Amino acid sequence: MELKQAFERITHFNEKLPTEAVDVIRANKDEAIPFMLEYVSDVAELKSVNDITEENNYPDFALLLLAEFRVKEAFPIFLKLLYMDEDIIDGTVGDLVCENYGSILASVATVDDIPQILALCKDVSVDVYHRNAAVNSLVVLYAEGVITHSQICEYLGEILNENTTDDEFSAFAVCNCEDIHAENLFEQINTMFDDGLINTQIVGKDYFEKTTRLKTMESCLEELQSDDRKMFVVDAISAVKNWACYQEKPNPNPDFGRKIGSNEPCPCGSGKKYKKCCALV
């Protein structure tokens, strides 16, 4: 497979993993990086969902490979994507935001980039899931040893203190505090629970207290380091190989005899949204 074919393959969805194409890109990394940067940069310039086409709606493997290659020039582009409209990101980056984006962003970040990440985390105009991806990237930097436990606790404390209006985002931040065992923030978090500032449908006070009692800072770090989504991207294929869209379809006779909304679950039973699954085939 030629490099041009490999690039075409990774930028168009197929229910089979692009293993051969990824290997070709790895073998020609220096030549491939500028093309992938340009592709992702073009996605970051989209102004409307009407601008999304088959040629720019699948940046997943370009993002993952740039992260795997630790391309620091990709950081401002990756950050810009998180500032974009939710519907545009949903139609392009899609589920990667909730699954792997923290790992992707952290893989191309440096300590000097942390103020920009924090600014996004605190920006209430940004979609809550995009902000949470940015918070997750800070957790990854901690798990990888780039920042210390006291530093990640300080950052999460800042994020909690400056978010008093979005109980959903606060709940996600609390989950990250649990993941790193931010013990110095537990009293503050319990007060936030009592004041109704945390969405208890995401994490309840009893659950939080129980799980944090059972864990230590050391055990939490060990758990983080065993989760690929909480570490730097080391293998683009491994990062997504267990996704439902790459598994054998569980429903051999899906019902496509009706109009299917783009955000509905795909009738094939993959667990993905229709627009990110069979609508692309």
Side-chain angles (χ1 to χ4, degrees):
M1 180 183 290
E2 298 293 330
L3 181 59
K4 183 178 179 180
Q5 293 174 301
F7 186 69
E8 183 78 8
R9 175 67 178 83
I10 68 161
T11 54
H12 292 79
F13 177 78
N14 187 296
E15 61 186 20
K16 293 183 179 180
L17 285 163
T19 305
E20 181 184 359
V22 167
D23 286 341
V24 170
I25 288 172
R26 286 172 177 152
N28 298 273
K29 181 172 69 172
D30 292 342
E31 188 178 352
I33 284 173
F35 286 101
M36 292 191 292
L37 283 170
E38 182 179 6
Y39 180 83
V40 176
S41 182
D42 287 346
V43 174
E45 293 298 326
L46 295 174
K47 304 300 183 185
S48 163
V49 291
N50 296 325
D51 298 328
I52 300 174
T53 70
E54 290 184 0
E55 300 305 315
N56 60 24
N57 73 347
Y58 194 63
D60 295 29
F61 278 99
L63 290 165
L64 286 162
L65 283 165
L66 288 168
E68 179 184 321
F69 298 157
R70 306 289 183 271
V71 180
K72 303 303 182 185
E73 299 94 324
F75 176 80
I77 305 171
F78 289 6
L79 195 73
K80 184 176 181 178
L81 285 167
L82 292 180
Y83 277 104
M84 292 179 69
D85 178 78
E86 174 190 1
D87 290 336
I88 296 176
I89 293 301
D90 195 36
T92 53
V93 179
D95 294 337
L96 203 64
V97 167
C98 297
E99 294 291 333
N100 301 77
Y101 209 89
S103 173
I104 289 169
L105 184 63
S107 296
V108 299
T110 67
V111 172
D112 292 338
D113 297 319
I114 289 176
Q116 295 181 68
I117 297 174
L118 279 171
L120 191 149
C121 294
K122 299 173 185 178
D123 190 337
V124 295
S125 70
V126 176
D127 178 79
V128 62
Y129 293 99
H130 300 187
R131 293 167 68 196
N132 187 49
V135 178
N136 288 340
S137 74
L138 295 173
V139 174
V140 173
L141 291 174
Y142 160 64
E144 288 283 358
V146 177
I147 59 177
T148 65
H149 188 263
S150 61
Q151 286 175 311
I152 185 63
C153 288
E154 178 185 345
Y155 298 147
L156 288 173
E158 285 183 35
I159 291 165
L160 287 172
N161 287 333
E162 297 198 25
N163 180 73
T164 58
T165 58
D166 191 329
D167 65 348
E168 187 176 15
F169 180 68
S170 290
F172 290 145
V174 166
C175 290
N176 279 299
C177 289
E178 176 195 331
D179 287 344
I180 68 160
H181 201 75
E183 192 170 8
N184 63 314
L185 299 176
F186 289 172
E187 184 177 348
Q188 176 185 348
I189 290 169
N190 282 325
T191 299
M192 292 177 68
F193 272 118
D194 294 338
D195 291 342
L197 299 176
I198 298 170
N199 188 322
T200 54
Q201 291 187 333
I202 296 174
V203 57
K205 183 178 181 181
D206 290 343
Y207 172 83
F208 176 78
E209 290 179 338
K210 179 180 179 180
T211 54
T212 52
R213 280 198 304 267
L214 296 173
K215 296 179 180 180
T216 64
M217 183 179 75
E218 292 75 19
S219 68
C220 285
L221 180 58
E222 187 176 338
E223 283 185 29
L224 288 174
Q225 293 173 339
S226 66
D227 185 344
D228 289 345
R229 295 170 301 175
K230 300 296 185 181
M231 300 294 286
F232 290 156
V233 176
V234 295
D235 185 332
I237 294 290
S238 294
V240 296
K241 68 179 181 181
N242 293 322
W243 282 25
C245 62
Y246 296 119
Q247 309 305 309
E248 183 178 351
K249 297 291 190 278
N251 183 358
N253 299 301
D255 178 16
F256 292 105
R258 62 179 180 83
K259 184 176 181 180
I260 305 163
S262 62
N263 286 312
E264 286 187 55
C266 188
C268 75
S270 68
K272 300 284 284 184
K273 292 178 181 178
Y274 176 62
K275 67 183 176 185
K276 298 295 285 185
C277 193
C278 291
L280 300 174
V281 178

